[in-house]
C-alpha cells in the first residue's frame, strides 16, 4: 500500500497526468480543426465523441493529479517541465504548481467540463456551428487547465487568454445576427482591459521579484517569506484586482455579463456561471499571500467585492429574465468571494467557489425550465405555512425602497458611467479617425464602407433531416 | 392622481389621424399569448379580411419579412419536379385575375422627415440601439408576470407614468442623453399630446407621420405586439397594471427625440436641434432592402401547395375505390383529440387492438370547466382559449393525503425560500444555496449525463375524487347540464349507436423537462393544458345512471354494459395514464387489461413512427430501442426536440372515419369526427365544428407557415440562446426584443403549406354554413385555407375556387399498399404520400 502511494506520488506518474491534462483538450480541438480543414465534414457523433474523450481524459487526469498531490507529504507539486528559453536570469518555463487551491479548482473544472460537453452534444444537434462549438470548448478547457495548473504567472496568463478568447468567440456564436457581435465586442473590450492589467502584473512581478514562479514569488510552500516589499505588493495587488474585476464582472463593469448572454445556453453556463466568472476570484486567491501584505490592496479587494455583492444581487433581484438574473447573481456571488478573501477567509472563499460553480452550472443549464419552475413555485404556495419570502429590502421605508428599485434597475448607473467615460470618447475618436481616412481616400460615405451586416434570410430546411443523414 | 381628467372633448383631427394609423399598423404586430398560456394562432389573424397574397405582399413592406420561399428554392423545387410548371402558369393567371389591391400602403415621406432608418446609416450612429437599450431595460420589469422577486413599484398606472416615476428617481435613468427626460415628459401630459408634439417636430402630418409611427411600432415588434395584446386581454396582464399601446408609442417617441437631439448635438454642435438634423437629411435616399414579393413568387407558392393537394386529396379519392364494409362487432372505441399527433395513434390502435373504432373530438370533449387541483392557489380554465367557463370542478384529496401534501409543501417552501433558485440571487442566501446545492448536484449532473434513467410519466395526484355535481359543488353541473354536454359531444362525433363495451375517452398532454414552450405542446383545446381532467369529467357524466336515462329519452341508448374509461395520452412519452379504474369490477378489469396490453403495442409502434423524424435515432433500429430513445428525450435537459409537436401538419378532415380508415396519412391531417347523415338539415353540428375547431387548426397551420418562411421575423429563431423573460416570452440574449413565433427546432421539418381542408358534407350545406360564419368564410374566400368537399351522397369531390365550389377530379395517383403503418414510413425521414394499409382492409373483409 505504502509502495503504491509512494509510486503514485513520485514524479513520473504526476508528469504523465500533467501532460494529459494540459494537452488532451487542445489535441481534440486541433484534430477537429484539421478534419474540417481537410475538407471532411465529420459526423456530429464523431465530433462529440472526439471532444468528449479528450475533455474527459483531461478531467480524469486532473482529478488523479489532484488526488495524488494531496497524498504527498507536502501536499504540493511544483515542477518545471520544460524551459522554453532562458536569457540571463530569465527563464520562460512550462511549469506546474498544484496545491490545495488549484486542486479544488481542477475538481470543479473536471466535474463541469465533461458534463457540459456531453450535454452540448445533444443540445446543439443540427446546428450549423456544431464543430465550431466543440473546437471552442476544447480551447476553453485547455485555457482553464493551463490557467489553474500553471506553475508561473506566465503560464497562467496564457491560459487566461485562451479562456477569454474562447468565451468571446462563443458569445458571437450566432454571428448571423448583429446583437451577438456587438455583445462579444463588449466582452472582448472588457477582457482586454483585464488582460492589460494582468500583463502589467506579469511584467511588474518579473521586475520586482525577478521570477514568475508562483512558489518562488509568493513564498508559499517551502516556508519562505514573501520577497516583496509592501509598496510593490500593493501595486501588484491592485493590478491583479483590476484583472479580476474584468474577468469576474465586478463593479463597475458588471453589466457586460448581460451582453454575454447571446451565446448558446451551455456556453453561458460554462463561462458566466462556472469558469470565467470565477477565474478572477481564483487569481486573487492565488496571490492572496501577496495581498495579505498590502493593506491598501486588501481593502480595495474587500470594497470592490462588497460593492458588487450588494449591487449585482439587487440588480439580479429586479431582473425579469432568467439568464440575466443568473448572470448578475453569479457576479454578486463572485463579489462575495472577493470580500471573503479581503477578510482573509480564504478557505471559505475556496469552498464557496467550488459550490457556487456547481450551483450556477445546473441553474443555467436548466434555465429553459424557468417558466415551469416558476409555476411549480406558485403552485407550492397552496396550503401550509410560510407563504411569503423574506427579503431584506422590505424593511426599508417606502421612498428609500423605491429609490433602491430604480437604481437597481439601471444597475446603479454603472453602465452609463462607463459609456460616458470610456466608450463614447473612444468611439468618437475612432469615428473621427475612420471618417477622415475614408473621406481622404475616396470621398465615399461611411455607410458605403461599413455596410450593415447582411443577414442571410434562410428558407426552411425542407430536407434538413435527410441531407444531414445523421444516425447516432 | 396625475392622470388628466377624462374630458368629453372629441379627438381633434390630428389625434384621430394618429390613432387611425396606430390602429391600422398595430394589426401587423405579432400577437402571441404569454408563454404560460401559449397556444398557436395566425400571426396575421386580423388581416384575414384581405386576400392571402395581398397580405403576403404587404407583410414584406410593413414587417420587412419574407412570406415565401426564396426564388432559388422554388427553382430548385421546379428542377426536382416537386413543382409543375403548368401549375405555376395557372397560378399566375389566377393571381393576375384577382386584381389584388395593396394593403396599408404608407405614403412616401418627404426628404426632411427625421426617420431613424435615414439618420442611422448617414450618421453612422445607432440611434435605434440607444432607444432600444433603454426600453428593453424598463419593459420586462414593467410587464413582468412574476419572474422577478421584486416587482416594479408604481407600475399600476401604465408605462408612461412608470417612466415618469423612474425619471424622477436619482439614478433611475442614468444615461446622460436622457437627462432631459423628466422635463420632456412633463407632469400630466397625456400620451396622445406627447405623441403629437414629437411628431410635429419630425415630419409632415400627411406624408411623414405614418412612417415615423411605423418605425416606432416595429422597432421592437415583440414588445409592441405583447403590449397590444395585453391592452385588449385584461386577464393576461400583470395584476392591476394598466397596459396601453399608446403609452408605449409616446414613451418611445419621446426617447427617440432625445436620442436624435443627442446625435444632432454631437454632429452639429451644442445648439443643434431636430430641425438642423432634418435639414441635413435633404439628400438622403430612403433605403429599401425589404425582400420583394412578386406575382410570380406567389404563383410558385400556389403551385408548390398544389402538388401536396394533388397527392393528399388524390390519395383519399383513390382509397374510396377500395371495397369497404361496415363493422359488425366493435369491442373498443377510442376517442381522442383532433390533434394531428393523434392521427398516428388512432391508426395504430386500429391496427393493434382487435375490433376497435376511433373518433376525433376537440380535446376538451365539449366540457368547458374551471378546475382547481388539490391545494392549488390558482384556478385553471380547461377549455379553448376564447371561452370563459362558468362551471367548476374541484379535485378532492382525502384528509390523509392532503395532510401529507401540506407537510411536503411547507418543507418545500421553507427550502425554496432559503436556498432555492429565487433565493440564490441574494448575497447571503446565494452562499447558503451554493452549499445546499452540493446535496442535489450529483443527481442533477447524473440526469444531464444519463437522462434515460430518469424517465417518469407525469403524475400529479393519485386517488383524488372529482366534485362536479351541483349537489356537492355549488358552481358545478346539474344533471341536465351533464346529459346535454354528453349528448352534444356524442352527436358531434357521430357516436349515437353501436356503443362498445369499453369507450376510452383520452385527452392529451406532453411531458418534457427544460422546455420553454411547454404549454405549446399540450392540448390547445384545453387552453394549453393537459386534457386528462376533461376526460375524467366526461366519463364521470357518461357513467352516471341518471344521465344515461336522460340520454335514452333523447334517443341515445347506451347499453348498461358500456363503460366510459378516462385517460390521458402523453404525446412525448407515448404512455396513457388511466384514471378511475377502480370503477371496474374484477371481470371487467381483466377484459380491460387485455385491451391495455394491445394498446401498449400500439403506443410503442406510435413512438417508433415518431422516431423516424428524429435525425439522431437510426431508422433501422429495432422498435424496442427506438422507443427507449424516444422516451429518454422527455427527461433529457439537453433535448431541444422532445417531440416534433404539430410540425408536420398540413391538412384537416371533417368527416366520418370511414373516409380515412386504413389510409396512412403520415400524421399530417387534423381529424375531426363528424357524421353528415346524423346532422340536421341546416347543418347545425357542422356549423359548430367549422366555427371552433377549424379556425384553431388553421391558426396552427398559419403560425407554422409564417415561422417557417421567415424564422427571423415571424419565428423566434433557434432555441439554443433563448432566455425566458418575465414569464411572457423568450428573447435571445439578456437584453433583446421578445421573439414571438415558432422556434427553428420545430419548423425545420415543416413544409409551408396552407391548410388543406376536406369536409364530408354536401357543398351546398357547407356554403350555407360559411354564409353564417363570416370569419371562416373570409379564410376560405381569401385563400387562407384550401377547401374541399366530399359529398356523402356519392356526388364526388368539390373544390372551392374563388367564390364557390366546383367539381374536382384529380389525376389519380398510384396508391401503394403496405401491411402496417410502420412498413409505410420507417424507411425514410421524409414525408410519405398516402398509402393503403392492407391489414385494416383485410380485417374489413374478414368482418364482412
Amino acid at each position: 500500500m505504502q509502495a503504491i502511494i509512494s509510486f503514485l506520488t513520485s514524479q513520473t506518474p504526476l508528469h504523465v497526468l500533467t501532460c494529459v491534462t494540459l494537452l488532451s483538450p487542445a489535441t481534440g480541438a486541433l484534430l477537429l480543426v484539421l478534419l474540417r480543414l481537410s475538407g471532411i465534414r465529420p459526423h456530429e457523433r464523431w465530433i462529440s465523441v472526439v471532444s468528449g474523450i479528450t475533455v474527459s481524459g483531461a478531467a480524469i487526469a486532473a482529478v488523479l493529479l489532484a488526488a495524488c498531490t494531496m497524498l504527498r507529504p507536502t501536499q504540493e507539486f511544483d515542477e518545471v517541465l520544460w524551459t522554453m528559453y532562458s536569457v540571463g536570469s530569465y527563464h520562460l518555463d512550462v511549469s506546474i504548481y498544484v496545491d490545495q487551491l488549484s486542486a479544488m479548482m481542477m475538481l470543479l473544472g473536471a466535474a463541469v467540463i465533461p458534463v457540459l460537453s456531453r450535454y452540448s452534444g445533444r443540445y446543439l444537434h443540427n446546428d450549423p456551428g456544431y464543430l465550431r462549438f466543440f473546437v471552442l470548448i476544447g480551447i476553453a478547457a485547455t485555457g482553464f487547465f493551463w490557467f489553474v495548473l500553471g506553475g508561473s504567472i506566465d503560464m497562467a496568463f496564457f491560459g487566461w487568454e485562451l479562456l477569454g478568447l474562447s468565451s468571446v468567440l462563443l458569445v458571437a456564436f450566432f454571428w448571423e445576427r448583429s446583437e451577438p457581435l456587438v455583445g462579444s465586442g463588449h466582452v472582448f473590450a472588457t477582457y482586454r482591459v483585464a488582460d492589460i492589467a494582468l500583463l502589467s502584473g506579469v511584467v511588474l512581478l518579473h521586475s520586482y521579484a525577478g521570477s514568475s514562479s508562483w512558489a518562488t514569488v509568493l513564498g508559499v510552500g517551502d516556508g519562505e517569506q514573501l520577497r516583496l516589499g509592501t509598496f510593490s505588493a500593493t501595486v501588484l495587488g491592485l493590478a491583479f484586482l483590476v484583472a479580476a474585476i474584468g474577468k469576474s464582472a465586478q463593479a463597475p463593469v458588471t453589466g457586460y455579463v448581460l451582453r454575454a448572454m447571446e451565446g448558446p445556453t451551455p456556453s453561458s453556463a460554462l463561462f458566466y456561471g462556472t469558469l470565467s466568472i470565477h477565474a478572477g476570484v481564483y487569481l486573487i486567491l492565488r496571490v492572496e499571500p501577496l495581498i495579505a501584505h498590502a493593506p491598501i490592496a486588501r481593502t480595495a479587494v474587500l470594497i470592490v467585492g462588497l460593492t458588487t455583492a450588494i449591487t449585482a444581487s439587487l440588480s439580479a433581484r429586479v431582473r425579469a429574465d432568467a439568464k440575466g438574473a443568473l448572470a448578475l447573481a453569479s457576479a454578486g456571488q463572485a463579489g462575495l468571494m472577493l470580500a471573503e478573501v479581503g477578510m482573509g477567509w480564504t478557505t471559505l472563499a475556496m469552498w464557496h467557489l467550488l459550490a457556487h460553480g456547481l450551483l450556477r452550472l445546473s441553474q443555467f443549464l436548466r434555465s429553459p425550465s424557468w417558466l415551469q419552475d416558476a409555476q411549480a413555485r406558485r403552485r407550492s404556495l397552496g396550503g401550509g405555512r410560510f407563504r411569503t419570502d423574506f427579503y431584506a429590502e422590505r424593511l426599508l421605508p417606502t421612498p428609500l425602497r423605491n429609490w433602491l428599485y430604480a437604481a437597481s434597475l439601471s444597475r446603479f448607473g454603472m453602465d452609463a458611467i462607463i459609456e460616458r467615460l470610456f466608450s463614447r470618447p473612444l468611439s468618437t475618436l475612432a469615428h473621427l479617425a475612420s471618417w477622415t481616412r475614408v473621406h481622404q481616400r475616396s470621398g465615399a460615405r461611411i455607410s458605403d464602407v461599413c455596410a450593415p451586416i447582411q443577414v442571410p434570410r434562410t428558407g426552411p430546411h425542407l430536407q434538413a433531416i435527410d441531407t444531414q443523414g445523421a444516425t447516432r | 392622481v396625475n392622470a388628466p381628467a377624462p374630458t368629453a372633448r372629441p379627438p381633434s383631427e390630428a389625434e384621430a389621424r394618429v390613432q387611425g394609423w396606430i390602429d391600422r399598423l398595430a394589426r401587423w404586430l405579432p400577437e402571441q399569448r404569454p408563454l404560460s398560456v401559449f397556444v398557436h394562432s395566425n400571426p396575421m389573424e386580423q388581416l384575414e379580411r384581405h386576400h392571402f397574397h395581398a397580405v403576403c405582399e404587404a407583410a414584406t413592406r410593413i414587417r420587412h419579412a419574407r412570406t415565401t420561399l426564396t426564388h432559388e428554392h422554388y427553382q430548385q423545387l421546379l428542377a426536382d419536379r416537386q413543382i409543375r410548371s403548368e401549375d405555376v402558369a395557372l397560378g399566375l393567371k389566377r393571381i393576375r385575375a384577382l386584381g389584388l389591391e395593396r394593403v396599408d400602403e404608407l405614403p412616401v415621406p418627404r426628404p426632411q422627415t427625421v426617420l431613424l432608418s435615414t439618420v442611422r446609416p448617414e450618421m453612422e450612429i445607432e440611434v435605434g440601439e440607444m432607444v432600444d437599450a433603454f426600453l428593453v431595460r424598463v419593459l420586462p420589469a414593467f410587464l413582468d408576470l412574476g419572474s422577478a422577486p421584486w416587482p416594479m413599484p408604481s407600475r399600476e398606472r401604465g408605462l408612461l407614468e412608470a417612466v415618469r416615476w423612474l425619471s424622477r428617481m436619482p439614478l433611475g435613468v442614468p444615461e446622460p442623453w436622457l437627462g432631459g427626460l423628466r422635463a420632456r415628459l412633463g407632469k400630466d401630459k397625456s400620451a396622445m399630446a406627447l405623441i403629437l408634439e414629437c411628431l410635429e417636430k419630425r415630419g409632415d402630418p400627411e406624408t411623414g407621420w405614418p412612417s415615423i409611427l411605423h418605425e416606432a411600432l416595429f422597432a421592437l415588434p415583440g414588445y409592441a405586439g405583447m403590449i397590444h395584446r395585453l391592452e385588449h386581454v385584461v386577464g393576461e396582464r400583470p395584476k392591476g397594471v394598466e397596459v396601453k399601446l399608446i403609452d408605449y408609442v409616446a414613451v418611445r417617441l419621446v426617447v427617440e427625440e432625445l436620442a436624435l437631439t443627442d446625435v444632432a448635438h454631437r454632429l452639429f454642435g451644442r445648439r443643434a436641434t431636430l430641425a438642423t438634423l432634418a435639414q441635413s437629411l435633404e439628400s438622403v435616399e430612403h433605403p429599401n432592402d425589404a425582400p420583394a414579393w412578386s406575382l410570380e413568387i406567389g404563383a410558385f407558392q400556389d403551385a408548390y401547395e398544389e402538388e401536396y393537394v394533388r397527392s393528399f386529396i388524390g390519395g383519399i379519392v383513390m382509397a374510396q375505390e377500395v371495397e369497404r364494409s361496415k363493422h359488425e362487432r366493435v369491442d373498443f372505441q377510442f376517442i381522442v383529440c383532433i390533434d394531428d399527433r393523434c392521427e398516428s395513434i388512432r391508426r395504430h390502435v386500429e391496427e393493434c387492438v382487435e375490433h376497435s373504432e376511433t373518433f376525433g373530438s376537440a380535446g376538451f370533449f365539449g366540457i368547458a370547466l374551471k378546475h382547481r387541483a388539490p391545494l392549488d392557489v390558482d384556478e385553471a380554465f380547461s377549455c379553448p382559449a376564447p371561452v370563459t367557463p362558468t362551471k367548476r370542478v374541484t379535485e378532492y384529496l382525502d384528509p390523509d393525503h392532503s395532510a401529507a401534501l401540506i407537510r411536503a409543501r411547507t418543507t418545500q417552501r421553507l427550502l425554496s425560500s432559503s436556498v432555492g433558485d429565487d433565493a440564490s440571487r441574494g448575497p447571503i442566501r446565494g452562499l447558503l444555496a451554493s452549499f445546499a446545492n452540493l446535496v442535489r448536484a450529483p443527481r442533477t449532473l447524473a440526469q444531464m449525463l444519463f437522462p434515460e434513467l430518469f424517465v417518469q410519466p407525469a403524475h400529479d395526484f393519485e386517488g383524488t375524487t372529482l366534485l362536479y355535481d351541483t349537489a356537492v359543488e355549488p358552481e358545478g353541473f346539474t344533471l341536465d347540464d351533464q346529459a346535454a354536454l354528453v349528448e352534444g359531444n356524442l352527436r358531434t362525433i357521430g357516436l349515437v349507436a353501436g356503443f362498445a363495451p369499453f369507450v376510452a375517452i383520452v385527452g392529451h398532454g406532453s411531458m418534457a423537462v427544460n422546455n420553454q414552450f411547454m404549454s405549446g405542446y399540450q392540448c390547445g383545446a384545453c387552453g394549453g393544458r393537459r386534457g386528462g381532467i376533461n376526460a375524467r369529467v366526461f366519463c364521470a357524466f357518461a357513467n352516471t345512471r341518471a344521465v344515461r336515462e336522460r340520454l335514452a329519452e333523447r334517443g341515445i341508448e347506451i347499453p348498461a354494459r358500456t363503460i366510459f374509461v378516462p385517460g390521458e395520452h402523453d404525446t412525448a412519452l407515448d404512455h396513457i395514464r388511466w384514471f378511475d379504474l377502480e370503477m371496474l369490477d374484477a371481470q371487467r378489469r381483466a377484459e380491460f387489461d387485455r385491451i391495455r396490453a394491445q394498446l401498449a403495442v400500439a403506443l410503442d409502434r406510435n413512438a417508433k413512427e415518431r422516431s423516424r423524424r428524429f435525425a439522431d435515432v437510426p431508422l433501422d433500429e429495432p422498435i424496442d430501442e427506438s422507443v427507449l430513445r424516444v422516451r429518454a428525450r422527455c427527461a433529457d435537459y439537453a433535448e431541444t426536440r422532445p417531440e416534433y409537436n404539430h410540425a408536420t401538419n398540413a391538412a384537416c378532415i371533417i368527416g366520418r372515419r370511414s373516409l380515412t380508415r386504413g389510409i396512412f396519412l403520415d400524421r399530417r391531417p387534423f381529424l375531426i369526427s363528424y357524421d353528415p347523415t346524423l346532422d340536421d338539415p341546416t347543418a347545425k353540428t357542422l356549423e359548430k365544428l367549422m366555427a371552433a375547431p377549424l379556425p384553431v387548426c388553421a391558426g396552427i397551420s398559419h403560425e407554422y407557415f409564417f415561422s417557417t418562411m421567415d424564422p427571423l421575423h415571424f419565428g423566434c429563431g433557434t432555441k439554443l440562446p433563448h432566455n425566458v423573460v418575465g414569464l411572457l416570452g423568450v428573447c435571445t440574449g439578456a437584453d433583446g426584443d421578445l421573439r414571438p413565433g415558432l422556434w427553428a427546432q420545430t419548423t425545420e421539418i415543416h413544409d409551408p403549406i396552407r391548410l388543406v381542408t376536406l369536409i364530408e358534407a354536401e357543398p351546398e350545406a357547407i356554403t350555407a354554413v360559411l354564409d353564417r360564419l363570416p370569419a371562416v368564410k373570409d379564410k376560405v374566400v381569401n385563400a387562407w385555407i384550401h377547401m374541399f368537399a366530399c359529398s356523402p351522397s356519392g356526388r364526388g369531390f368539390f373544390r372551392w375556387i374563388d367564390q364557390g365550389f366546383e367539381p374536382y377530379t384529380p389525376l389519380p395517383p398510384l396508391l401503394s399498399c403496405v401491411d402496417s403503418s410502420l412498413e409505410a414510413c420507417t424507411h425514410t425521414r421524409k414525408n410519405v404520400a398516402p398509402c393503403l394499409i392492407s391489414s385494416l382492409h383485410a380485417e374489413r373483409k374478414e368482418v364482412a
Side-chain angles (χ1 to χ4, degrees), chain A residues 115 118-119 122-127 174 177 182 258 261-265 309 313-314 316-325 329 333 336 340 348 351-352 355-356 358-363 365-387 389-391 393-394 401-413 416 420 424 431 435 445-447 450 455 457-466 468 470-472, chain B residues 35-36 64 69 73 77 82 121-122 124 130 137 140-141 144 147-153 165-166 169-172 174-177 262 266 291 304 373 375-378 406 409-410 412-414 417 421-422 424-427 429-431 433-435 437-438 444-445 448-449 451 512 514-516 518 613 615-616 618 629 636-638 640-641 644 708 710-713 718-727 732-735 739 748-752 829-830:
Chain A
V115 171
R118 195 174 149 91
Y119 179 97
R122 284 166 284 146
Y123 194 76
L124 269 89
H125 167 57
N126 210 6
D127 191 273
F174 298 104
R177 292 184 306 116
V182 175
L258 296 174
M261 291 298 112
E262 297 283 354
T265 309
S313 303
L314 280 171
R317 199 168 287 169
V318 303
R319 287 292 297 194
D321 64 312
K323 288 185 186 171
Q333 287 293 301
L336 196 63
E340 287 157 10
L348 173 66
W351 281 101
H352 187 182
H356 181 246
L358 285 176
L359 171 74
R360 295 297 179 211
L361 178 85
S362 63
Q363 283 184 333
L365 292 184
R366 276 179 51 86
S367 69
S369 282
W370 199 255
L371 181 73
Q372 286 111 290
D373 290 352
Q375 284 170 340
R377 270 201 300 281
R378 169 104 190 122
R379 199 150 217 250
S380 75
L381 286 180
R385 290 176 297 147
F386 310 112
R387 290 200 182 212
D389 293 342
F390 174 78
Y391 289 110
E393 71 265 1
R394 298 214 172 128
R401 193 171 66 216
N402 285 353
W403 170 76
L404 203 58
Y405 181 91
S408 306
L409 194 63
S410 73
R411 293 186 289 285
F412 297 84
R420 174 102 180 181
R424 270 283 171 90
H431 284 164
W435 181 279
R445 286 212 323 243
I446 298 290
S447 52
C450 310
V455 179
R457 293 174 189 282
T458 46
H461 317 285
L462 279 185
Q463 290 147 18
I465 290 288
D466 256 44
Q468 63 192 350
T471 41
R472 200 183 266 178
Chain B
L35 210 50
S36 51
H64 298 291
L69 304 175
H73 199 143
L77 288 168
Q82 293 185 30
E122 179 62 17
E124 210 205 336
M130 291 162 70
R137 199 174 72 216
D144 184 18
S147 179
W150 191 0
M152 184 186 253
W165 169 76
L166 275 180
M169 290 284 150
L171 284 186
E175 287 88 343
W177 58 272
D262 183 62
R266 276 193 275 163
Y304 170 58
L375 297 176
D376 254 18
V377 192
D378 299 320
I406 287 177
R409 286 202 168 164
T410 308
Q412 191 187 345
R413 262 203 305 279
L414 261 182
S417 65
D421 285 349
D422 263 1
S424 76
R425 299 188 196 187
R429 273 180 284 187
L431 177 68
S434 302
F435 286 109
N437 178 62
L438 288 178
T444 317
L445 293 187
M448 291 190 182
L449 290 173
N514 223 26
N515 184 357
Q516 56 268 53
M518 205 56 246
R613 297 282 185 178
D616 48 2
R629 273 179 202 270
D636 189 350
Y637 285 130
T640 49
R641 301 162 182 83
Y644 263 127
T708 311
D710 195 334
L712 202 64
H713 290 90
T718 168
K719 256 172 141 180
L720 306 188
H722 276 174
N723 179 10
V724 181
V725 190
L727 313 186
T732 40
D735 285 327
R739 306 272 315 259
E748 64 187 359
I749 61 161
H750 184 70
D751 285 357
R829 299 192 190 277
K830 290 186 188 171

Side-chain angles (χ1 to χ4, degrees), chain A residues 94-432:
Chain A
V94 175
S95 60
I96 62 159
Y97 177 68
V98 187
D99 63 351
Q100 209 191 347
L101 174 64
S102 37
M104 291 275 276
M105 193 71 175
M106 277 199 298
L107 280 184
L108 177 64
V112 161
I113 299 174
V115 171
L116 199 109
S117 167
R118 195 174 149 91
Y119 179 97
S120 310
R122 284 166 284 146
Y123 194 76
L124 269 89
H125 167 57
N126 210 6
D127 191 273
Y130 198 87
L131 185 133
R132 184 159 42 101
F133 182 87
F134 282 98
V135 170
L136 290 173
I137 289 295
I139 296 178
T142 312
F144 177 76
F145 285 122
W146 280 71
F147 174 59
V148 174
L149 269 179
S152 66
I153 191 169
D154 305 333
M155 262 186 78
F157 182 72
F158 176 66
W160 172 281
E161 285 291 304
L162 283 187
L163 197 58
L165 178 74
S166 52
S167 115
V168 166
L169 290 177
L170 278 169
V171 172
F173 187 74
F174 298 104
W175 50 267
E176 62 275 8
R177 292 184 306 116
S178 63
E179 294 93 337
L181 297 180
V182 175
S184 75
H186 271 253
V187 180
F188 185 67
T190 318
Y191 277 179
R192 289 319 288 175
V193 175
D195 294 346
I196 291 167
L198 186 60
L199 194 61
S200 0
V202 173
V203 173
L204 288 172
L205 198 63
H206 275 293
S207 82
Y208 288 149
S211 166
S212 60
S213 151
W214 289 128
T216 321
V217 173
L218 301 173
V220 284
D222 307 337
E224 283 179 34
Q225 283 301 305
L226 191 70
R227 287 198 200 168
L228 300 166
T230 310
F231 172 74
S232 36
T234 308
V235 173
L236 278 171
L238 290 176
F240 290 137
L241 176 62
V242 172
I245 286 175
K247 204 72 159 184
S248 288
Q250 299 298 294
V253 297
T254 316
Y256 88 81
V257 282
L258 296 174
R259 303 270 194 164
M261 291 298 112
E262 297 283 354
T265 309
S267 81
S268 300
L270 187 65
F271 292 100
Y272 305 100
T274 318
L275 299 187
S276 270
I277 197 89
H278 293 130
V281 179
Y282 175 80
L283 181 71
I284 295 295
L285 271 169
R286 175 51 70 224
V287 300
E288 196 272 340
L290 192 146
I291 284 173
H293 279 79
I296 297 180
R298 190 174 160 174
T299 320
V301 168
L302 181 67
I303 290 173
V304 167
L306 275 184
T307 315
T308 314
I310 293 168
T311 56
S313 303
L314 280 171
S315 301
R317 199 168 287 169
V318 303
R319 287 292 297 194
D321 64 312
K323 288 185 186 171
L326 286 175
L328 286 174
S330 304
Q333 287 293 301
L336 196 63
M337 288 168 216
L338 281 190
E340 287 157 10
V341 181
M343 293 298 292
W345 304 331
T346 43
T347 316
L348 173 66
M350 220 157 70
W351 281 101
H352 187 182
L353 193 162
L354 182 74
H356 181 246
L358 285 176
L359 171 74
R360 295 297 179 211
L361 178 85
S362 63
Q363 283 184 333
F364 262 109
L365 292 184
R366 276 179 51 86
S367 69
S369 282
W370 199 255
L371 181 73
Q372 286 111 290
D373 290 352
Q375 284 170 340
R377 270 201 300 281
R378 169 104 190 122
R379 199 150 217 250
S380 75
L381 286 180
R385 290 176 297 147
F386 310 112
R387 290 200 182 212
T388 50
D389 293 342
F390 174 78
Y391 289 110
E393 71 265 1
R394 298 214 172 128
L395 297 176
L396 299 173
T398 315
L400 185 60
R401 193 171 66 216
N402 285 353
W403 170 76
L404 203 58
Y405 181 91
S408 306
L409 194 63
S410 73
R411 293 186 289 285
F412 297 84
M414 286 180 206
D415 298 359
I417 294 169
I418 301 265
E419 165 101 20
R420 174 102 180 181
L421 293 184
F422 296 100
S423 320
R424 270 283 171 90
L426 271 178
S427 74
T428 312
L429 211 67
H431 284 164
L432 279 176

Side-chain angles (χ1 to χ4, degrees), chain B residues 228-282:
Chain B
H228 186 48
R229 172 163 186 95
L230 297 187
E231 178 171 356
H232 300 295
V233 189
V234 181
E236 289 169 9
R237 289 182 195 169
K239 249 198 184 102
V241 176
E242 189 67 36
V243 183
K244 278 191 197 149
L245 187 63
I246 196 166
D247 275 3
Y248 168 75
V249 177
V251 169
R252 168 124 205 147
L253 285 176
V254 169
V255 176
E256 271 181 13
E257 185 186 309
L258 292 170
L260 286 167
T261 314
D262 183 62
V263 167
H265 285 170
R266 276 193 275 163
L267 289 173
F268 305 107
R270 280 271 145 222
R271 296 222 194 113
T273 58
L274 277 187
T276 330
L277 205 57
Q279 277 161 16
S280 77
L281 292 172
E282 289 263 25

